[in-house]
Amino acid sequence: MENWRNILVKKHQTLLETMQIIDKSALQFAVVIDDENRLLGTVTDGDIRRGILKGEVLDSPINKIMNTSPFTATTAHTKHYCVKLMNDKQLKQLPIVDNNQQVVNVLFKDEVQQQSNENTVVLMVGD
C-alpha cells in the first residue's frame, strides 16, 4: 500500500485523533511511532474500543492502549517470509522496520495475497 504513511500516529496523539485516522484510512489499524519514526506499537479499532470499555477517555494518549509488542519484519526479510508470518499468525497487517526500528513500510494481507495470486503464464510454441 502506497499510503501506509497515512496510518502513522505519534504516541501523544489521543484516542479520538487515532480513531479518526483509522476511520479515514478504512484499514482498522494504525502504527504508533516516536519523533524519529521508530516503531513504538500498533493499535486497532478493537484496541481503542477495549480501552474505552476499561475507562480510557477520548483525550487519553494512544500509548496507553497500544500493543507494545507487535509482530514485525525487517527489511532483510523476504516477501515470502512476510507472507508466511502473516498467514501463520493470522495477521492483517505487518509493519516493516529497518535496523534502527524505523518504520519503512506496512504490508497488508489483502494486498499481499492479491499480488501472490497473480500468475505468470509462459507459452512455448514451436514446430
Side-chain angles (χ1 to χ4, degrees):
M1 170 181 211
E2 294 184 25
N3 296 328
W4 62 268
R5 287 178 179 84
N6 295 339
I7 60 168
L8 298 178
V9 297
K10 301 289 179 112
K11 66 179 180 178
H12 63 273
Q13 288 185 262
T14 65
L15 270 63
L16 180 59
E17 291 171 320
T18 305
M19 283 175 33
Q20 291 168 334
I21 289 168
I22 290 172
D23 185 57
K24 186 176 179 181
S25 74
L27 295 171
Q28 302 173 332
F29 175 79
V31 178
V32 184
I33 58 171
D34 66 9
D35 291 334
E36 283 76 43
N37 203 40
R38 287 187 299 252
L39 178 69
L40 298 176
T42 59
V43 64
T44 65
D45 56 351
D47 294 328
I48 294 172
R49 188 173 47 254
R50 285 184 291 278
I52 291 170
L53 289 172
K54 289 180 181 178
E56 293 297 333
V57 294
L58 294 178
D59 288 337
S60 296
I62 199 63
N63 66 338
K64 285 188 154 195
I65 64 155
M66 70 182 180
N67 172 8
T68 58
S69 300
F71 287 101
T72 63
T74 68
T75 53
H77 288 118
T78 65
K79 191 167 206 168
H80 176 75
Y81 170 86
C82 294
V83 170
K84 182 169 177 15
L85 178 63
M86 293 176 82
N87 287 333
D88 291 349
K89 301 297 181 185
Q90 299 179 349
L91 304 173
K92 294 180 183 178
Q93 315 85 1
L94 184 65
I96 309 298
V97 296
D98 64 14
N99 292 338
N100 298 317
Q101 290 299 302
Q102 291 178 317
V103 180
V104 297
N105 197 1
V106 178
L107 296 180
F108 295 89
K109 185 167 182 118
D110 293 341
E111 191 174 278
V112 172
Q113 278 184 325
Q114 185 178 19
Q115 291 172 356
S116 66
N117 287 341
E118 293 177 3
N119 295 323
T120 302
V121 176
V122 177
L123 294 175
M124 303 285 287
V125 180
D127 291 279

